[in-house]
Each structure stands twice: as C-alpha cells, then as structure tokens.
Amino acid sequence: MTTVAAPHVPARLGRFVLRMFRPQIYVTYGLLWVLALEGVAVTATGAAWRPSGATAIRVVSVVLALLFLRMLDEQKDLDHDRVHHPDRPLVTGAITAGELRGAMAVITVGVTGLNAVRSVTDVLLIVAALGYGLLLAPLERRFPAVGDRPLLGLAVAYPVQLLLGVYVYGSLVAAGTVTADWRAAALLALCACVVLHFEFARKTAWEAPPGARLYSTGLGPGRAAAVTAGFAAGAVVCEVLLFAPRGPLALLPCLAALLPAHGTRRFLAAGRGAWPLPTAIAFVVATYLASAVLAVLLP
C-alpha cells in the first residue's frame, strides 16, 4: 500500500485533473451543456432567459459531478488499464485509489452544500446522479459483460448523463422557472443525441487496435457509422420540435448538423482509420453554443 504525505495530496490531485480531466475540454463541455439546456428550457416556453447565480451553481455542480465520475472510472477500469494503458496515473502510482476516494467524498459534500442553498430537490437530484455512478463499479464486478461489451456498458452507464440533465431541468422546475411538460423529453433527447453522437464517433473505426473497446467491433464499421449519423439526425429533429415555434431564426442551431454530415462522408469515403473526431467535437460545441446564444438573443 502506497502512503503519501498529506501536504503532497493536493498537488498529486491537481496533476491528475490536468491530465485526466482536462479543464479546457470538460469544463467547457459542462458549461455549454448547462447553458444550452437551461436556456432552451426557458426560451422554449416563450420566456426571456439570462444566466444567473443559480445557473452558476448548476454549472459548478455538473462540472464537479463529471470530475467525480472521471475519478470513479479511473478506479473502475484499473484492471483493464494495467494491461492496455500502463501509463495511467492510478497504474503508475501517480495517484492512489484512496486519494481519489477522498477527493470524491469532498466533491459530494461540496455539491450537496452548494445545492442545499437552492432546494432539497436540487440536492436529491445531484446526489442521485452521483449515487448511480457509484453503483456502476459493483455492477460491473457482478456482471463482467457490462464492462467487456461496449454497447451493453453504454446502455448501463449513460443514465448518469441523463440524470445530470434531469438535475438541471428539475432544478429549474423546483425554482418555478419552468413548468414541466413534453418539452422536457425533447430537450433531454436533444442532449442525449448530441453526446451519443460524440460517444459513438470516438469509438467507431474501420480497424480495432488491441484492447480497444469499440462500438464498431460489435456492430461493424458501416452500421456503427449509421448509428453515429443517426444520433446527429435525432438532434436536429429535437431542435425543430423545440425551436420551430419561435420562427426561422430559431432553427440556426440546426446548421451544426453539417459537421456530422461531413464527418460521416469522410469516414465512409476513407474506408480505413477512425472517425474524424474533430467534426464530432465541433458538433457538440456548435450545437450547445448556438443554442445558448440563441436563448439570450431571442425576445
């Protein structure tokens, strides 16, 4: 067992975060996701929206929850990483499981305290997301197929993202900002399609490197590409449902679909290599950013 002096722990955790939870990616994603979800939820009802102090709490809570889940994944995937990713921090001893668990406890206390300022509903919703994440490790130990079969693993793990989306929307409902209706389902489906397009894109390739857990291995590259493109198309359908009543200008976020269309064409035309991931990343950024900006600009 590795023992680390307490004064060194913050620096070790900082290095872990900078390497495995790159702020320029994860913080940007969490920020844009919350702004887009909140902004669309409000403006879809015809009301005006501006970010507020409550928005900041939701952003910080989601980003910290994503960090919590990343720390959890590092521990959950340790056996796989020992074989296929021997340079990972937990494998090399750059961080210990005890340090990660301690940080996760601090995060739990932090997000609970933040959301207690808002409402009990907010606390319950964010804790539910973290709690579901904690269930994944024992579930994979009890049922190894969950970790070994990528599609099954995705079906079991994705509800964490859904619960974080429910937290943001539920927080708005608890505050009386919006009234829950059918638009909640369309909005959560939009977020699901956006993130699942990226998720499939990053694990779709014509060839599978040793140890890679790709969706294209089970589905085949062609079908995996169809599913990846299908999620982007699903996002557009949801955008039309949510934005069309506000007029033609409100459909501008749909133009982001040109990015996955280009990515799909490139992948199929190449016949080798991996999905052009920059197009999938740009689709997430463009969709969420355009949605958030539009929510501010719409009267």
Side-chain angles (χ1 to χ4, degrees):
M1 180 180 295
T2 302
T3 302
V4 180
H8 297 155
V9 173
R12 288 162 61 87
L13 286 169
R15 287 191 292 269
F16 171 85
V17 169
L18 290 176
R19 179 180 173 189
M20 304 305 297
F21 190 80
R22 288 174 288 178
Q24 66 271 31
I25 295 176
Y26 287 93
V27 175
T28 301
Y29 168 69
L31 172 66
L32 291 178
W33 181 19
V34 173
L35 292 180
L37 200 162
E38 184 177 311
V40 174
V42 175
T43 57
T45 67
W49 173 77
R50 293 293 183 275
S52 63
T55 307
I57 290 177
R58 294 177 189 119
V59 170
V60 172
S61 297
V62 166
V63 170
L64 287 177
L66 293 174
L67 177 57
F68 178 100
L69 296 170
R70 185 66 199 86
M71 291 176 167
L72 182 63
D73 282 344
E74 190 73 5
Q75 300 167 73
K76 186 164 58 71
D77 297 338
L78 180 58
D79 290 338
H80 181 268
D81 289 342
R82 283 191 176 120
V83 177
H84 301 289
H85 304 285
D87 62 334
R88 291 283 176 86
L90 194 55
V91 178
T92 63
I95 198 76
T96 67
E99 290 169 308
L100 292 178
R101 286 194 291 269
M104 290 164 63
V106 171
I107 289 172
T108 301
V109 172
V111 297
T112 300
L114 269 177
N115 286 278
V117 175
R118 299 287 306 155
S119 73
V120 174
T121 299
D122 289 33
V123 172
L124 294 176
L125 290 174
I126 193 66
V127 170
L130 301 183
Y132 185 89
L134 287 173
L135 289 176
L136 295 178
L139 190 64
E140 287 190 13
R141 286 195 297 269
R142 178 67 179 82
F143 303 101
V146 173
D148 297 335
R149 295 167 57 185
L151 288 171
L152 178 59
L154 176 63
V156 171
Y158 177 73
V160 176
Q161 292 271 335
L162 179 60
L163 286 171
L164 287 176
V166 170
Y167 155 71
V168 176
Y169 191 87
S171 176
L172 291 169
V173 174
T177 307
V178 301
T179 301
D181 58 18
W182 66 269
R183 284 177 286 245
L187 181 52
L188 293 174
L190 167 62
C191 295
C193 287
V194 170
V195 75
L196 288 173
H197 170 76
F198 169 75
E199 173 65 18
F200 265 79
R202 77 185 186 93
K203 292 187 178 181
T204 293
W206 289 99
E207 308 89 12
R213 295 171 172 174
L214 303 181
Y215 302 125
S216 52
T217 301
L219 292 174
R223 280 187 291 182
V227 172
T228 306
F231 279 122
V236 173
V237 171
C238 292
E239 287 171 331
V240 170
L241 289 174
L242 290 164
F243 295 137
R246 302 305 305 275
L249 178 64
L251 293 175
L252 284 177
C254 295
L255 292 177
L258 294 174
L259 292 161
H262 177 61
T264 303
R265 185 189 64 80
R266 281 183 56 188
F267 178 76
L268 294 176
R272 58 185 176 84
W275 191 279
L277 201 53
T279 63
I281 296 172
F283 176 63
V284 175
V285 173
T287 300
Y288 285 161
L289 182 60
S291 298
V293 171
L294 191 64
V296 172
L297 295 179
L298 281 175

